[in-house]
Amino acid sequence: MSFISHLECPQCGKVFSWKEVHHLCACSSPLLTRYDLEKAKRFMTKESLAGREASMWRYRELLPVGQGEDVVTLGEGMTPLLRAPVLGRRLGVPNLYIKDEGTNPTGTFKARGAAVGISRAKNLGVKSVAMPTAGNAGGAWSCYAARAGIKAFVAMPKDAPENAMKECILAGAELFLVDGLISDAGKFIARGVKEFGWYDASTLKEPYRIEGKKTMGFELAEQFNWKLPDVILYPCGGGVGLIGIWKAFQELEALGWISGHRPRLVAVQAEGCAPIVKAFQEGKLESEYWTGARTLAGGIRVPKALGDFLVLRAIKETAGCAVAVSDEEILAARGLVSRLEGLVICPEGAATVAALRKMRETGLVSESDRVVLLNTGTGLKYPELVEVDIPIYQPDDFPMGSDGEKPKRGPKADPRSGSGT
Ligand SMILES: *Cc1c(COP(=O)(O)O)cnc(C)c1O
Ligand SMILES: [Zn+2]
């Protein structure tokens, strides 16, 4: 069962029923889901979690799917919290952990939001969902929609990763490629919402995607045995994961399951698209639209986030910060993590590694801090960001030199043959 009680506007405090379809508040703020945590406290203990299924649905009481309602799941969540000792020593942060969201269904943490969002949509009787996406959310929502028997309309920038496009097509979604950014794709979807009544599943325009993403916070708390780390670095696009983790810690505190200091939450962005970083540096409560957004980390190429004020609030309240890194630093960090830890991470996740390096250098993170990096997806979803530039040998032309270490260089692969990719 679920202890969900209502939806609430974090700006004006207005309250809504969770049993009807709701999108934004009249004041244009996203809505947050609230639970009867006093009641939950009497019925739930953290010990009761032991032995439950290894998915995010182990926190079912604190998720918005009511009694007797269906859960649409592909087994998302309860992703590994990996120690990264070699990388940690290299960066001067020996107590370093990576939460690897790349093991989720559809290859990214977008699966968490889609699982809850689609479950709610199904239980509300929704027949079609629509959203703009940088790629990964579209892939995830298409797959979960397919599993729920719901039609998905997805719009993404024409230069989004091809893998994500193919995922949507395979899952039977209606895919639109838009000549522009995610915000332009958003205009496209808004028109379908207005003209055809599509259920708007855009980031934070329905209240439940964030409920899925908050389970990262629950898992971190449980995996750290309810003693939270000092710093959490998150690659921030729309900011849903960061707001979700913040919300999760608030709920756990209300349950009395955690106490003491809260982790400093760090929003990591790319230098070519850093609206939250700019707003943070200028002490603003909201960000401005970032013109000419550019970064190869597509998941964080969001020029203006609907929930920016919540991200900034979360950072401020936890004494965190916002940091920007360059695409060169992102690629270098990705290489480092693959070689040192055997983890092929996504460019967004790599941005947190680059940011940690900067924060350590400037003293914002100290050697004794316990630090968590969120790798939000698998690097295997971005094959176009890896160059394969190695020679092709004839089968009987064994290339190893006498030292047995490195092959002699033969002729380079002919890029036109296609065998190099
Ligand atoms: C969407 C996405 C992000 C950013 O998530 P937000 O919730 O929009 O902040 C980060 N990394 C990856 C891989 C993504 O797909
Ligand atoms: Zn409001």
Side-chain angles (χ1 to χ4, degrees), residues 108-110 136 213 234-241 299-300 346 348 376-377 382:
T108 75
F109 77 145
K110 290 296 196 300
N136 292 330
K213 286 194 175 178
Y234 173 82
C236 184
V240 188
I300 55 176
C346 63
E348 295 83 359
T376 41
Y382 303 75

Side-chain angles (χ1 to χ4, degrees), residues 145-368:
R147 194 155 166 88
I150 291 174
K151 171 96 188 154
F153 295 96
V154 176
M156 64 175 78
K158 69 176 201 297
D159 59 350
E162 213 173 292
N163 263 10
M165 297 176 188
K166 290 177 177 170
E167 194 178 10
C168 297
I169 291 168
L170 280 171
E174 198 65 58
L175 176 65
F176 305 97
L177 298 184
V178 179
D179 188 5
L181 297 169
I182 187 172
S183 40
D184 301 299
K187 287 180 202 151
F188 205 82
I189 291 298
R191 183 143 172 209
V193 168
K194 189 152 167 264
E195 288 184 22
F196 301 108
W198 295 345
Y199 179 84
D200 194 346
S202 311
T203 302
L204 291 174
K205 285 196 185 163
E206 59 76 59
Y208 303 112
R209 184 194 290 224
I210 181 174
E211 292 304 291
K213 286 194 175 178
K214 85 177 176 189
T215 56
M216 291 190 292
F218 292 161
E219 289 174 23
L220 281 172
E222 191 180 357
Q223 287 171 321
F224 276 112
N225 202 18
W226 313 103
K227 290 177 201 71
L228 297 179
D230 299 298
V231 187
I232 299 174
L233 285 86
Y234 173 82
C236 184
V240 188
L242 189 140
I243 305 165
I245 290 171
W246 180 54
K247 184 172 188 283
F249 293 160
Q250 286 170 352
E251 292 172 359
L252 293 179
E253 203 167 80
L255 287 174
W257 292 12
I258 57 170
S259 58
H261 79 283
R262 290 274 190 82
R264 274 131 57 204
L265 297 179
V266 180
V268 179
Q269 297 200 301
E271 282 175 1
C273 181
I276 303 269
V277 177
K278 182 164 182 278
F280 173 76
Q281 286 169 350
E282 293 171 353
K284 302 249 171 74
L285 300 177
E286 244 184 65
S287 66
E288 284 163 39
Y289 184 92
W290 186 278
T291 319
R294 258 182 73 90
T295 169
L296 52 78
I300 55 176
R301 195 176 57 169
V302 179
K304 164 81 182 163
L306 196 58
D308 55 358
F309 69 100
L310 292 172
V311 174
L312 290 160
R313 214 184 270 176
I315 293 173
K316 202 164 161 192
E317 219 179 75
T318 62
C321 64
V323 178
V325 297
S326 70
D327 277 6
E328 293 69 38
E329 289 167 327
I330 288 174
L331 288 179
R334 182 188 61 170
L336 198 64
V337 179
S338 321
R339 288 193 307 276
L340 297 186
E341 299 290 357
L343 202 57
V344 176
I345 63 175
C346 63
E348 295 83 359
T352 66
V353 180
L356 176 59
R357 164 171 276 172
K358 276 196 177 160
M359 290 179 70
R360 185 70 187 90
E361 281 165 9
T362 53
L364 283 168
V365 166
S366 71
E367 194 180 2
S368 60

Side-chain angles (χ1 to χ4, degrees), residues 7 21-25 29-33 64 112-122 124 126 129-131 141 199-213 240 306:
L7 303 175
V21 171
H22 287 290
H23 291 281
L24 298 179
C25 181
S29 165
L31 301 179
L32 296 178
T33 307
R112 295 179 187 266
V116 177
I118 288 288
S119 294
R120 283 303 294 142
K122 184 176 182 193
L124 288 165
V126 168
V129 299
M131 92 206 58
W141 283 73
Y199 179 84
D200 194 346
S202 311
T203 302
L204 291 174
K205 285 196 185 163
E206 59 76 59
Y208 303 112
R209 184 194 290 224
I210 181 174
E211 292 304 291
K213 286 194 175 178
V240 188
L306 196 58

